[in-house]
Amino acid sequence: MCGIVGFVGHHQAAPILLDGLSKLEYRGYDSAGIAIYGDNGVEIEKVKGRLQGLIDKTDNGRTMPGTLGIGHTRWATHGEPTEDNAHPHISYHEEVVGVHNGIIENYLELKGKLLRHGYQFYSETDTEIAINLIEYYLDKYKMGPIHAIAHAMVRIRGSYALAIMFKSEPGKVYAARKDSPLILGLKDGESYIASDVPAIIKYTSDVYYIDNTEIACCDKNGVSFYNIDEERIDKDIVHVDMDPKAAEKGGYPHFMLREIYEEPKAVEDTLNSALNEDGSIRLETIGLTKEQLKGLDNIYIAACGSAYHAGVVGQYVIEDLAGVPVRIELASEFRYRKLPYASNSLLIVVSQSGETADTLAALRLAKEAGIPTLAIVNVLGSSIAREADHVFYTLAGPEIAVATTKAYSAQLICLYLFALALASAKGKIEEKKAKEYIDMLKALPSQIEETLKKNKTFLNRLANRRANMPYSFFIGRGIDYAVGLEGSLKLKEISYIHSEAYAAGELKHGTISLIEGDTLVVSILTQPELLEKTLSNMKEVQSRGATLLSIDMSNHPIVRATSKFLVSIPKTDPHFSASLSVIPLQLFAYFVSVAKGLDVDKPRNLAKSVTVE
Ligand code: AGP
C-alpha cells in the first residue's frame, strides 16, 4: 500500500522525506514523488519505479531546497504506474498539492462535478480528483484550508490518508484521514506526518494518532487537530517505544531473514506478556474475563493471508482444547456473507498491520451485529486495535518484510493462549494440565532457535537445487494442513513459484493428477493420530514420481524411508507444533527467493498492508 510522509520544521525537508519513504518501501509501491515548498513556491519531482530513482534525480533532495514538504510511494489502484499518476498531485489552479493513500470510491461522480466547473485533469488517479475537490471548496467558500478539507471529506466516499500543502499557506502541512493509517510526530519545533512509525522513529518517538474524519495542521509551533465540524480538538501524545534500529536490517541481507531469526524473541515476548509470575495466564492481556470466556459458545475468526493461516491453526487448537466450535472465514468473504451469528459468540480478527481493509470491515460488521470482538494485532494504535472491543497484542516488533514470519509466529502464541484460557474457563482442562501446556510453550523459543540452527545450511542447499522447479505441493492433515497453507503462501509470494497446499486426504480427489516425475511435495508430519494417514498419501505421490521433503516430528522410520529430504523438528505438544514446523518452510521459501535473485523483502505486486479492498 502507499506510503505517505510530510515534514515542516527548520531542517531541509527533502532528505528527511526521502529517508522516510525508504522506511516505507516495505509497504509496496511502483512510483514515488516529493513536493517541497521552497522560496520559489512548490516544486514537485516524481519517478516511475523505485525510490532510488527519485533519490538520484534530486541528488538526495539537494536540488529541492525548502523546510516544508510531502512525499509518497504509490501502489497503483486507479491508473497505471506512470510518472503522471505518481503523487504528489497538484490541483488545476495550482492552489493545492497533496498525496493520498486509500481509495475514493465516488471519484467519477466528483470528477464529473469538477469537469462541469471547468477543471481539467492530467492523470487517471482518484487522488487528483480529491485534491481538486479541496481546491474547488477553497475557491468557492474562501474560508481557508480547514473548511475546504472538511467540506471535501463530507463529499468523499471511500478511504483516505491525505497530506496536503496550500500555496496560500507556506509553512503549514495539513493531514486528514478516514480508514487509511496516518500518524503525526513532533520534536523540537518540527512536525512529521507518516503512514507508519518506521518512517519517523529516527526523528521522534512522540506521536499523535489521528482518528477517522479528523484534520491536522502541522507548522513550526506544533500540531493542531480539528474534527469534521472544524472544531479544535485536543489529542494526547503517545510515546512509541520502538528502537530506530528496528527499522534497519541489523546486519542481515534482508529484513525477512532478520525477522525469521527474531522469531524466538517474538514468541517469548508475546508469551511472557500474557503470563503471571506463577505461570498462569494473565487474562487482562488477552482482554477477556473468565466469565466472558466461560459464556462463549461459538468463535468466529476472520483474517487474510498468513493471518488467516494462523487462524486455521487456532481453529484446530481451540476446538480441541476448549470444545468450542470455531468458524474461520477469509475476511474478504466474511464481510459479504449474510452470516446468521450464533448466540454467545466472539469474533477474533487477526492482523499484523491492524490496517487490512477486509479484516477491518469484518470487525465493523460483527460490531454492528453486536458480536464482541477480539483483535490479535502487532501494531499499537492501529485501526483494528482501536476499534476492537478487546485487543491481544503480538509483541513481534515492527515487521518490515512483506512476507510475514515473526508476526505469524506470535499470532500462533496468542491463539494458543486464548485456547488455553478458554479451555480453563470452560473447565475442560485442569490447572495442572494448563501449566504443563504453558511449560511446553515456554520451550518453543529455544526449540525455534534449534530448528533454525540445525536446518539453515541444508535448506539453503536444497533451495538452490530447487529454485527453478515449476511448482510444488504442500500436504498435511489437521494442524499440519494449516501449516502447509502458510508454507505454500511463503513460497509463492517471494519466489513466484506456484504451489498448492492440500489436505493430504484430498489429493486423490483430483490434484494427484498433477503429480509427475520429480514434483517436490512437502509433507508435514506432527500429528501422531494422523501420521499413518499422511504416510499413505506420501506413498501415493511417491509412486507417481514425486520427490518428498518431509517436515517431521515423529522420527518414524517409515517417514525417513519414504522421504528423499527430511527436516526433523524438536518434539512439542501436537497442538503447538505449527510454531516449529513452519520455520523450515519460511527458511526454504526465503532461500529459494534469494537463489532466484528476487526482491525478497518487497516482492512484486505485493504490499505489507493491504489497506484497500
Ligand atoms: C503474508 O506473508 C502476506 N504478506 C499477507 O498474506 C498478509 O498476511 C495479509 O495481507 C494480512 O495482513 P495483516 O496481517 O496485516 O492483516
Side-chain angles (χ1 to χ4, degrees):
M1 293 301 97
C2 307
I4 289 176
V5 291
F7 174 78
V8 54
H10 39 271
H11 285 92
Q12 287 303 300
I16 292 172
L17 297 175
L18 293 169
D19 176 67
L21 290 177
S22 72
K23 300 295 188 299
L24 297 176
E25 286 190 279
Y26 70 90
R27 298 171 61 84
Y29 71 101
D30 35 49
S31 59
I34 59 173
I36 301 295
Y37 200 149
D39 296 339
N40 305 319
V42 176
E43 189 183 349
I44 299 175
E45 288 291 357
K46 310 194 273 193
V47 294
K48 177 186 174 184
R50 307 313 288 176
L51 178 64
Q52 190 58 48
L54 185 62
I55 292 169
D56 295 343
K57 187 174 182 180
T58 63
D59 187 13
N60 196 27
R62 279 182 278 275
T63 62
M64 302 176 76
T67 61
L68 170 80
I70 54 179
H72 189 264
T73 47
R74 178 177 182 251
W75 190 76
T77 55
H78 295 73
E80 294 296 307
T82 63
E83 199 166 309
D84 268 352
N85 288 335
H87 305 201
H89 285 290
I90 188 164
S91 57
Y92 182 53
H93 301 105
E94 300 191 349
E95 294 283 334
V96 184
V97 177
V99 294
H100 163 234
N101 176 20
I103 286 189
I104 310 293
E105 291 175 0
N106 60 332
Y107 75 102
L108 289 176
E109 168 206 329
L110 298 172
K111 184 170 186 174
K113 169 191 177 68
L114 293 164
L115 286 168
R116 287 192 297 278
H117 285 85
Y119 280 79
Q120 293 177 22
F121 300 89
Y122 57 81
S123 83
E124 307 159 272
T125 67
D126 54 346
T127 304
E128 189 191 359
I129 292 159
I131 299 305
N132 277 288
L133 187 67
I134 292 169
E135 180 185 86
Y136 168 75
Y137 288 125
L138 187 73
D139 291 350
K140 178 175 181 182
Y141 295 110
K142 300 194 177 11
M143 292 177 65
I146 299 287
H147 182 79
I149 294 170
H151 223 94
M153 288 163 74
V154 170
R155 283 302 309 271
I156 287 172
R157 261 201 337 273
S159 58
Y160 50 82
L162 292 162
I164 310 160
M165 296 191 295
F166 292 80
K167 187 176 172 184
S168 61
E169 302 263 323
K172 293 177 189 282
V173 180
Y174 292 80
R177 81 163 287 236
K178 179 175 170 293
D179 293 342
S180 290
L182 200 64
I183 57 165
L184 295 98
L186 194 63
K187 181 113 187 232
D188 302 336
E190 300 192 299
S191 306
Y192 304 82
I193 300 170
S195 298
D196 200 355
V197 172
I200 60 173
I201 192 68
K202 177 176 167 182
Y203 307 101
T204 181
S205 44
D206 292 329
V207 303
Y208 291 104
Y209 290 102
I210 180 171
D211 285 307
N212 271 356
T213 69
E214 289 180 349
I215 301 162
C217 173
C218 306
D219 61 20
K220 288 180 178 171
N221 303 316
V223 186
S224 50
F225 289 92
Y226 305 82
N227 61 23
I228 201 162
D229 298 322
E230 304 168 55
E231 298 157 340
R232 276 296 296 265
I233 50 179
D234 294 326
K235 292 182 84 67
D236 296 331
I237 280 212
V238 176
H239 182 78
V240 176
D241 187 14
M242 181 199 287
D243 173 357
K245 286 191 173 45
E248 306 293 342
K249 290 179 189 163
Y252 286 89
H254 301 97
F255 280 112
M256 185 176 174
L257 191 61
R258 170 185 169 148
E259 288 154 11
I260 288 173
Y261 277 84
E262 289 176 340
E263 289 189 89
K265 186 172 185 314
V267 164
E268 187 171 37
D269 290 350
T270 304
L271 184 60
N272 290 338
S273 75
L275 294 182
N276 294 310
E277 287 297 310
D278 64 1
S280 62
I281 295 175
R282 185 183 302 141
L283 295 182
E284 301 80 70
T285 305
I286 293 182
L288 290 143
T289 65
K290 185 168 184 174
E291 291 62 42
Q292 287 171 322
L293 289 166
K294 196 171 181 180
L296 290 177
D297 296 328
N298 292 280
I299 307 286
Y300 298 97
I301 300 178
C304 302
S306 293
Y308 171 81
H309 298 153
V312 178
V313 173
Q315 177 184 40
Y316 285 107
V317 175
I318 294 167
E319 288 185 339
D320 197 58
L321 289 179
V324 174
V326 179
R327 175 171 181 161
I328 180 162
E329 290 280 356
L330 290 167
S332 53
E333 287 295 304
F334 184 92
R335 66 181 294 189
Y336 294 114
R337 295 192 83 108
K338 306 285 184 290
L339 206 53
Y341 296 112
S343 54
N344 306 324
S345 296
L346 171 77
L347 171 71
I348 300 175
V349 290
V350 186
S351 176
Q352 187 286 130
S353 63
E355 299 296 347
T356 299
D358 288 321
T359 309
L360 181 57
L363 171 67
R364 288 173 175 169
L365 190 71
K367 288 186 73 175
E368 282 162 21
I371 305 290
T373 55
L374 167 66
I376 294 175
V377 293
N378 194 45
V379 176
L380 186 74
S382 56
S383 301
I384 288 173
R386 285 185 284 154
E387 296 193 25
D389 299 312
H390 314 285
V391 186
F392 188 179
Y393 279 109
T394 50
L395 300 189
E399 189 175 66
I400 308 299
V402 165
T404 183
T405 49
K406 63 176 183 173
Y408 168 87
S409 289
Q411 289 162 359
L412 293 181
I413 296 298
C414 291
L415 289 159
Y416 299 152
L417 289 170
F418 174 83
L420 289 171
L422 182 61
S424 299
K426 290 276 189 182
K428 291 287 185 183
I429 54 173
E430 299 300 322
E431 193 177 326
K432 180 175 178 296
K433 184 64 179 170
K435 287 267 175 73
E436 285 172 19
Y437 281 133
I438 295 291
D439 288 342
M440 304 288 271
L441 293 180
K442 285 179 176 176
L444 286 176
S446 58
Q447 291 180 312
I448 293 170
E449 268 171 8
E450 179 191 341
T451 304
L452 286 168
K453 201 176 295 174
K454 276 176 55 180
N455 298 291
K456 179 184 176 187
T457 306
F458 161 70
L459 288 165
N460 191 2
R461 197 177 307 126
L462 179 61
N464 278 278
R465 288 167 54 181
R466 288 285 168 168
N468 295 315
M469 62 185 169
Y471 57 83
S472 180
F473 285 94
F474 292 74
I475 62 171
R477 289 170 181 258
I479 287 171
D480 291 340
Y481 165 56
V483 172
L485 289 168
E486 178 56 11
S488 174
L489 176 60
K490 285 282 125 352
L491 182 67
K492 280 182 281 195
E493 68 175 325
I494 63 175
S495 75
Y496 314 153
I497 293 173
H498 183 63
S499 71
E500 300 240 7
Y502 264 87
E506 188 61 14
L507 271 172
K508 54 188 171 299
H509 298 285
T511 317
I512 201 164
S513 64
L514 290 175
I515 303 291
E516 51 192 1
D518 201 27
T519 299
L520 183 72
V521 174
V522 182
S523 66
I524 300 127
L525 301 131
T526 71
Q527 305 299 304
E529 294 164 14
L530 301 169
L531 179 66
E532 297 296 332
K533 299 294 180 191
T534 306
L535 266 171
S536 306
N537 302 128
M538 288 166 62
K539 289 187 177 303
E540 285 164 11
V541 297
Q542 191 184 53
S543 62
R544 287 162 176 81
T547 297
L548 279 159
L549 163 63
S550 293
I551 313 297
D552 177 44
M553 192 169 80
S554 72
N555 282 328
H556 194 294
I558 298 182
V559 172
R560 290 184 174 283
T562 313
S563 309
K564 175 144 188 208
F565 306 112
L566 180 69
V567 172
S568 295
I569 58 174
K571 270 202 180 307
T572 185
D573 184 280
H575 293 102
F576 312 139
S577 62
S579 297
L580 300 177
S581 59
V582 77
I583 301 298
L585 303 183
Q586 294 169 340
L587 271 179
F588 180 66
Y590 169 78
F591 286 127
V592 171
S593 181
V594 170
K596 294 186 74 176
L598 299 172
D599 192 342
V600 178
D601 289 329
K602 299 187 291 293
R604 68 186 180 199
N605 308 335
L606 289 178
K608 182 61 180 172
S609 174
V610 185
T611 56
V612 294
E613 66 168 291

